[in-house]
Amino acid sequence: MTVASGRQRLLMDPQWRFHLGEVAQPEAVNHGDTYMSVKAGHAGGPAGVAFDDSAWRELDLPHDWLIEQPYDPRANVSHGFRRGDVAWYRKTFGLPTEDLGRRLWLEFDGVFRDCTVWLNGHLLGRHPSGYTSFHFDITDVANYGGPNVVAVRVDARAFEGWWYEGAGIYRHVWLTKTPPVHVGHWGVYVAPQPSDDLSHADVVVTTTVVNDSDHDVTLALRSTVVDCQGNEVSMHCQELSLPAGTSQDVSQSLPVRQPQLWDLTTPYLYLLRTAVSAAGTVDEVTTPFGIRHIRFDPEEGFLLNGRAVKLKGTCNHQDHAGVGIAVPDALQEFRIRRLLEMGSNAYRCAHNPPAPELLDACDRLGMLVMDENRHLSSSEWGLADLESMIRRDRNHPCIIMWSMANEEPLQRTETGTRIVRSMVRRVRQLDPTRPTIAAMDGGWGSSFSLAHDVQGCNYIRGDYDEYHATNPQHPILASEASSALTTRGIYLTEPAKGYMSAYDVNAPEWGNRAEEAWRPIAERPFMAGTFVWTGFDYRGEPTPYQWPCISSHFGIMDTCGFPKDNFYYYQAWWSDRTVLHILPHWNWPERLGETIPVWVHSNCEEVELFLNGRSLGRQPMERNGHLEWQVVYEPGVLLARGYARGEEVATAVVQTAGPAHRLRLTPDRSAISADGEDLCVITVSVRDEAERVVPTADDRITFSVSANARILGVGNGDPSSHEEDRAEQRRAFNGLCQVIVQSVRGEAGPIQVEARAPGLLPASCQVESLAAVPRPWVAALQPNTGT
């Protein structure tokens, strides 16, 4: 028998069949049916091979079915007033006869939640968590040279969190094929150890090699470090014997002289190429990694490559307008880029391991990450989920710490301490190079707290100075801060509509205003930094409101990634940009003659404000602060001039806009790949005749795209909007909305996007869809008709 050599990793996302709701199955009433129903390969109903799924909906993954469901005021408020359910996914695909003799895995990056998987009527297993990745070996039950049917039952009726969690196969699915002698699943661990002076590094590699053949083998393991130009930097090769049916962890050390360091502004990535050769086959795995030195110090905070770096982070759920939790890879990168634009340098995955592609984006773009475990548990399944996170993610240079838990009631108890010590012990076995932390809203300095390398403080529940004085050897970090409540473009709090003022004046009783939370962290060198709750708004948890508000107000940006005014506060004090931003808008016809607070966010040394050419005064800017003027409203022009060392360095203007006249489309990119996955995020703005955004416009806008693209979703950031996310229309909210347009696989050429609204001039834009080779993927066979 000839066994195909080499590893293949094939995308399984396209062409699934989907059914929402449980599927009634005929009850086995006679002995023969009962007898066969419990035999291997004889699962019944939609889990079985012969089930007719031809009437089911066809779709591509990733998929969040909950985003497609109507809002229900009787549903859970924390989860955004939508109800989970049971659903089924099926895909029929072929395997060539040449695959016989290889090892085959089905890999799921994330399914929310409690899923059961079958292949060809064989039960592969069940995975309860909606946040951890998992895989099943299908080698023994695959049908070689014929059709195979994978069936997935997803039960999203229960919760794992208190925010919108979505439902469905919302991350990628892969089919991996390897030779019998191969690198194990997540079987390469790269742990660079740079010297103190950073002049060289030992790249310590641990490779799990597996012999799934029936014979003892002698294999060659070759590990090669390659730079970003493709040059071989270091190599180590060794032979070893491996008995049949066994595996072995092999450690190698590869020296790298004068390494290029992974850093925030230069996130340099090497590649490790791993090759296992045995019995005429070669299994190859490529692992990106970075060389950098990290350290948390109780006096200096966080140090990256020997220099102190204040962590300017945000906490974020995996949720975006239009798509819910099924966030495509390009949209993950869009969100990271928005945070970087604000000056953020750190990302907390709240409160669960993220999609692998988010970490890939952080590696490429230079964003530090706190990777967070979902459940505080030392049970078998709890440790298995924790191990899944560590093994999958530990090669990412962006990750600088592992978070064990968030705001656990047991954080003040000995039971909690015993649990977390077991978890930390497992982490240190799997990755001794990174510290552990827990995000704690109390119990600072407890035995639970001291079980971790870094003290995580959620909100100012204690005194930073007192903790530092009492625990001088324990580094400290604001693992969650602020929770300021704002709505984009709203400057008078309106409880009946579910809106909060965008001035930095509101926070829940446990939180703090943005400025109030950042100042004490910025002013204390021993504070490693902060993670603000949150970078983006998210569905659910609409504090302080209930129905009809369905989304949070905590974000520095809304669910579309449109900046709220606090965005510019952080940008002023987190970034190196010169920032000058005025709020509010200047369209207040009903407030003529009233006094309106005018704020300026800036990092200029002084700012002078003018109304219609008249100076309203020049004020010095206090570091990490903002400026205010009380201005009697009259329509016209607000102008701010920013000064540094007495010289004008910036100007900002807010003008009274006229009536809505036209639409404007602004794509985030001019070109995308015609691979069926890439996308463009288009900002839709309502403009007056002078091209100014109309800050109160709420026109209903309808979209259309050419045949080589599809509308993936729409949004507007309105926390009380009940409009559909998967639609071809959306109202503007305070002048803006968003449409996400995705390419069609293999359909290169210009994508034409058009927008129309009654009474307004239409708008169009063109995005080039460039010819591209899609990632290798597995096509579906004809739908199963049960015959």
Side-chain angles (χ1 to χ4, degrees):
M1 178 181 65
T2 301
V3 178
S5 181
R7 174 179 294 238
Q8 289 181 287
R9 193 165 192 249
L10 308 174
L11 191 65
M12 286 284 286
D13 289 359
Q15 303 172 341
W16 288 71
R17 294 281 166 170
F18 172 75
H19 174 81
L20 179 61
E22 192 58 278
V23 178
Q25 301 184 40
E27 183 179 358
V29 293
N30 61 54
H31 175 73
D33 290 342
T34 303
Y35 180 84
M36 292 305 297
S37 69
V38 296
K39 295 297 183 179
H42 284 78
V49 173
F51 183 82
D52 182 357
D53 59 19
S54 59
W56 287 13
R57 171 184 168 193
E58 183 177 335
L59 54 77
D60 292 348
L61 307 178
H63 177 232
D64 176 3
W65 87 66
L66 197 59
I67 205 69
E68 303 167 353
Q69 303 311 304
Y71 292 101
D72 181 350
R74 298 164 297 178
N76 186 282
V77 58
S78 296
H79 294 85
F81 296 101
R82 280 172 162 145
R83 293 187 184 276
D85 202 342
V86 172
W88 286 83
Y89 295 83
R90 285 170 55 92
K91 179 170 181 172
T92 302
F93 63 98
L95 288 172
T97 55
E98 292 79 13
D99 283 344
L100 185 62
R102 301 173 99 181
R103 304 304 297 186
L104 275 60
W105 311 323
L106 275 178
E107 300 181 77
F108 293 82
D109 285 346
V111 182
F112 196 89
R113 65 173 300 275
D114 195 5
C115 70
T116 309
V117 184
W118 293 263
L119 184 76
N120 299 332
H122 296 268
L123 176 64
L124 298 180
R126 177 187 172 198
H127 190 76
S129 176
Y131 294 109
T132 51
S133 302
F134 59 98
H135 75 286
F136 296 113
D137 190 315
I138 63 170
T139 305
D140 294 343
V141 297
N143 180 26
Y144 300 93
N148 292 263
V149 180
V150 57
V152 183
R153 180 184 183 272
V154 183
D155 187 345
R157 291 174 295 185
F159 307 139
E160 286 189 63
W162 51 93
W163 56 89
Y164 176 81
E165 297 187 280
I169 308 179
Y170 71 97
R171 294 178 184 166
H172 295 308
V173 179
W174 305 89
L175 173 62
T176 298
K177 306 176 182 181
T178 76
V181 182
H182 57 89
V183 177
H185 187 257
W186 298 332
V188 177
Y189 173 36
V190 187
Q193 298 178 359
S195 61
D196 290 342
D197 64 359
L198 304 177
S199 64
H200 68 276
D202 291 324
V203 178
V204 179
V205 180
T206 303
T207 307
T208 303
V209 289
V210 181
N211 180 6
D212 276 326
S213 75
D214 295 327
H215 309 284
D216 299 347
V217 297
T218 297
L219 63 90
L221 170 62
R222 178 188 175 102
S223 298
T224 307
V225 174
V226 178
D227 67 18
C228 65
Q229 285 80 39
N231 301 311
E232 184 177 304
V233 174
S234 187
M235 188 274 289
H236 189 287
C237 186
Q238 68 185 85
E239 287 192 352
L240 63 146
S241 298
L242 196 60
T246 66
S247 64
Q248 183 176 334
D249 291 341
V250 182
S251 181
Q252 299 172 307
S253 182
L254 289 79
V256 176
R257 304 300 174 190
Q258 300 299 323
Q260 297 289 322
L261 300 179
W262 187 95
D263 213 315
L264 298 177
T265 56
T266 55
Y268 193 95
L269 293 174
Y270 290 92
L271 291 178
L272 179 76
R273 292 177 178 164
T274 304
V276 173
S277 305
T281 67
V282 181
D283 183 33
E284 295 183 318
V285 175
T286 300
T287 307
F289 72 96
I291 298 174
R292 84 285 185 271
H293 185 273
I294 61 171
R295 180 168 65 91
F296 282 86
D297 184 90
E299 293 297 333
E300 299 181 73
F302 173 69
L303 292 92
L304 176 64
N305 297 328
R307 77 181 193 285
V309 173
K310 186 75 79 173
L311 298 177
K312 302 166 182 174
T314 63
C315 309
N316 295 283
H317 288 309
Q318 49 181 18
D319 179 15
H320 193 89
V323 298
I325 64 170
V327 181
D329 300 356
L331 193 54
Q332 300 278 17
E333 180 163 327
F334 169 86
R335 287 163 63 89
I336 297 300
R337 288 187 182 277
R338 295 297 278 158
L339 293 168
L340 289 167
E341 180 186 345
M342 185 178 70
S344 177
N345 61 15
Y347 186 104
R348 178 183 173 208
C349 307
H351 300 291
N352 49 265
E357 292 74 25
L358 182 140
L359 298 175
D360 292 340
C362 291
D363 283 344
R364 291 193 305 271
L365 299 175
M367 177 72 81
L368 303 167
V369 173
M370 179 198 296
D371 202 349
E372 189 155 283
N373 176 58
R374 177 68 215 101
H375 298 288
L376 179 71
S377 174
S378 58
S379 67
E380 182 179 355
W381 67 264
L383 291 178
D385 277 353
L386 176 63
E387 183 167 334
S388 168
M389 176 182 78
I390 305 296
R391 287 190 180 277
R392 189 197 71 174
D393 296 347
R394 60 188 174 178
N395 293 321
H396 288 279
C398 63
I399 297 173
I400 58 170
M401 65 188 115
W402 304 111
S403 174
M404 297 297 94
N406 174 74
E407 296 180 354
E408 287 291 338
L410 292 180
Q411 66 195 5
R412 294 178 173 87
T413 68
E414 282 304 312
T415 299
T417 301
R418 290 194 298 270
I419 292 171
V420 84
R421 282 176 177 164
S422 293
M423 296 172 68
V424 169
R425 185 164 54 249
R426 180 62 61 87
V427 171
R428 288 173 179 160
Q429 291 168 353
L430 297 168
D431 177 30
T433 71
R434 294 176 178 90
T436 66
I437 188 173
M440 299 174 62
D441 60 345
W444 303 358
S446 66
S447 54
F448 184 99
S449 165
L450 297 176
H452 296 91
D453 303 292
V454 180
Q455 172 62 58
C457 302
N458 280 18
Y459 306 100
I460 306 177
R461 293 292 184 87
D463 185 292
Y464 297 147
D465 294 321
E466 180 183 350
Y467 185 85
H468 180 57
T470 306
N471 301 273
Q473 301 305 313
H474 203 194
I476 182 172
L477 166 70
S479 45
E480 189 170 316
S482 184
S483 282
L485 299 166
T486 59
T487 304
R488 178 181 59 78
I490 298 293
Y491 298 97
L492 293 171
T493 294
E494 300 179 66
K497 294 183 178 180
Y499 299 154
M500 301 296 296
S501 169
Y503 293 105
D504 184 21
V505 294
N506 293 302
E509 56 86 18
W510 71 82
N512 308 94
R513 295 176 290 107
E515 186 174 325
E516 183 181 33
W518 170 242
R519 277 180 178 269
I521 296 160
E523 294 166 356
R524 288 162 172 77
F526 67 82
M527 290 295 296
T530 188
F531 290 88
V532 175
W533 191 265
T534 53
F536 298 86
D537 279 339
Y538 53 94
R539 295 168 181 83
E541 209 172 5
T543 304
Y545 299 125
Q546 299 284 325
W547 180 268
C549 190
I550 48 84
S551 176
S552 80
H553 300 268
F554 299 119
I556 304 169
M557 290 175 275
D558 66 17
T559 53
C560 295
F562 295 139
K564 304 180 189 180
D565 293 286
N566 276 350
F567 178 99
Y568 301 99
Y569 170 76
Y570 288 108
Q571 189 179 58
W573 303 115
W574 284 9
S575 79
D576 295 329
R577 300 171 183 239
T578 299
V579 177
L580 186 60
H581 173 78
I582 305 170
L583 64 144
H585 64 71
W586 209 237
N587 275 53
W588 303 100
E590 73 284 3
R591 299 183 66 183
L592 190 65
E594 293 184 22
T595 299
I596 294 177
V598 174
W599 286 28
V600 169
H601 291 310
S602 180
N603 49 16
C604 295
E605 294 174 2
E606 294 180 295
V607 176
E608 187 172 9
L609 185 69
F610 299 82
L611 175 59
N612 294 328
R614 303 187 306 274
S615 176
L616 303 180
R618 182 163 166 169
Q619 299 185 42
M621 175 64 74
E622 184 179 357
R623 185 163 183 79
N624 298 310
H626 72 280
L627 297 177
E628 296 184 29
W629 286 260
Q630 299 300 315
V631 181
V632 177
Y633 178 74
E634 61 181 63
V637 180
L638 279 173
L639 168 68
R641 299 186 184 278
Y643 300 89
R645 297 172 297 280
E647 299 292 328
E648 183 179 312
V649 294
T651 60
V653 175
V654 172
Q655 293 181 281
T656 304
H661 178 70
R662 65 174 306 144
L663 301 175
R664 174 71 62 196
L665 300 182
T666 308
D668 75 311
R669 303 159 67 191
S670 60
I672 62 176
S673 297
D675 59 4
E677 296 186 77
D678 206 1
L679 56 81
C680 183
V681 181
I682 300 175
T683 297
V684 186
S685 54
V686 181
R687 307 271 178 148
D688 68 4
E689 283 192 274
E691 282 293 320
R692 295 172 295 221
V693 174
V694 181
T696 57
D698 65 350
D699 301 81
R700 183 179 297 279
I701 303 168
T702 301
F703 306 102
S704 61
V705 297
S706 50
N708 62 335
R710 54 178 165 261
I711 295 174
L712 194 62
V714 293
N716 62 12
D718 181 350
S720 295
S721 174
H722 297 175
E723 297 173 273
E724 294 182 15
D725 289 272
R726 298 295 179 93
E728 296 180 350
Q729 61 182 14
R730 190 74 168 197
R731 282 194 178 277
F733 178 59
N734 294 328
L736 301 175
C737 63
Q738 183 176 91
V739 57
I740 302 170
V741 175
Q742 190 172 47
S743 66
V744 171
R745 186 181 303 108
E747 298 291 332
I751 295 173
Q752 192 72 17
V753 184
E754 297 184 352
R756 298 180 180 276
L760 304 183
L761 294 179
S764 65
C765 72
Q766 187 170 289
V767 177
E768 195 67 28
S769 187
L770 303 175
V773 178
R775 290 192 281 193
W777 59 286
V778 178
L781 302 180
Q782 291 298 313
N784 198 327
T785 61
T787 59

